[in-house]
Amino acid sequence: MKFDIAIIGAGIVGAACAFSLSNEGFKIVVVEANEIASGTTAAGMGHIVLMDDSEAQFALTNYSQNLWNVLAERLPKDCEYENCGTIWVAADEEEMREALRKKDYFESRGVRAEILDSKSLREAEPNLRESLIGGLLVPKDSVVYQLRATHFLLEKAKEFGTKVVTGRRVIEVSNDGVKFENDDSIAAEKIINAAGFWSKKLMPD
């Protein structure tokens, strides 16, 4: 059987790709060297946060948050999705200037942000040390229990026909598909490399 797309890696990225593409009618196979969500995803913190190091990064993280907010209505409780916000703390005037810059940046792009003084910072997070002079609250940020979310996305993808193969390490990617350690292979028209830490090792020279 030839698949439309082979996804290498059954972490949160691979699972999200399988979920989205299977909903669009593609024949998908997900191949994972170990267990589902056992690599980079397991080491993550599940923080769905806006970033502003570049316009591209902001656009990507903002788009990602919007997708998660739509998906949140379908997530089971054990995914622990919570729109809790993020506080960027400021220890001194230099860091407070950075918080003000972030506020202007986000708000100019339609994202609400709020400057906290030292008092309101301690009220929001009582366990922070008192010497902090303030911070920036970004209410839009969220967290999710990424291990359960990965399983949820893959289960939904399987309902649309996605095949999940675990315990098989891909050692080679070609125009024809993926090849495993024992020389077995899976044929696919397209490959998505979502292998986390190991992604670079699978890239052609």
Side-chain angles (χ1 to χ4, degrees):
M1 178 181 181
K2 188 168 188 176
F3 292 89
D4 295 321
I5 303 169
I7 300 171
I8 307 171
I12 190 66
V13 173
C17 290
F19 172 78
S20 179
L21 292 168
S22 63
N23 271 271
E24 295 182 20
F26 290 99
K27 291 189 296 184
I28 308 295
V29 60
V30 179
V31 292
E32 166 60 49
N34 299 296
E35 298 296 328
I36 294 170
S38 61
T40 303
T41 296
M45 61 185 293
H47 198 180
I48 306 168
V49 61
L50 279 175
M51 301 297 290
D52 64 333
D53 291 339
S54 68
E55 288 292 342
Q57 187 186 60
F58 172 81
L60 180 63
T61 54
N62 189 43
Y63 181 64
S64 173
Q65 282 193 340
N66 292 336
L67 291 178
W68 274 105
N69 286 335
V70 172
L71 181 64
E73 298 179 0
R74 301 176 59 184
L75 292 174
K77 289 184 178 180
D78 62 5
C79 288
E80 299 179 21
Y81 184 85
E82 182 180 357
N83 182 217
C84 57
T86 294
I87 297 176
W88 299 82
V89 299
D92 52 36
E93 292 297 334
E94 180 181 357
E95 291 183 359
M96 182 56 82
R97 286 193 294 272
E98 173 62 12
L100 289 165
R101 184 201 65 80
K102 279 182 175 289
K103 179 180 186 294
D104 291 343
Y105 184 93
F106 288 147
E107 291 192 335
S108 68
R109 289 156 180 80
V111 176
R112 186 170 70 88
E114 177 186 348
I115 290 293
L116 305 176
D117 60 18
S118 58
K119 179 182 177 182
S120 55
L121 177 64
R122 285 196 298 272
E123 289 173 350
E125 288 292 346
N127 292 321
L128 292 174
R129 60 186 172 89
E130 292 189 4
S131 60
L132 296 171
I133 67 171
L136 177 71
L137 171 64
V138 185
K140 188 181 179 186
D141 291 348
S142 305
V143 292
V144 67
Y145 182 27
Q146 72 276 17
L147 304 185
R148 287 300 310 144
T150 301
H151 282 271
F152 169 80
L153 291 170
L154 281 178
E155 287 303 317
K156 290 299 178 184
K158 286 163 69 175
E159 291 178 10
F160 285 94
T162 291
K163 182 178 181 181
V164 179
V165 178
T166 59
R168 305 289 300 279
R169 184 176 299 279
V170 173
I171 61 170
E172 184 179 326
V173 175
S174 71
N175 291 332
D176 298 320
V178 298
K179 183 178 178 181
F180 298 109
E181 288 177 315
N182 63 355
D183 287 336
D184 285 347
S185 62
I186 290 179
E189 291 285 343
K190 302 290 183 181
I191 310 295
I192 295 177
N193 185 351
F197 177 81
W198 300 102
S199 293
K200 189 174 181 180
K201 295 181 180 295
L202 295 173
M203 297 299 291
D205 294 332

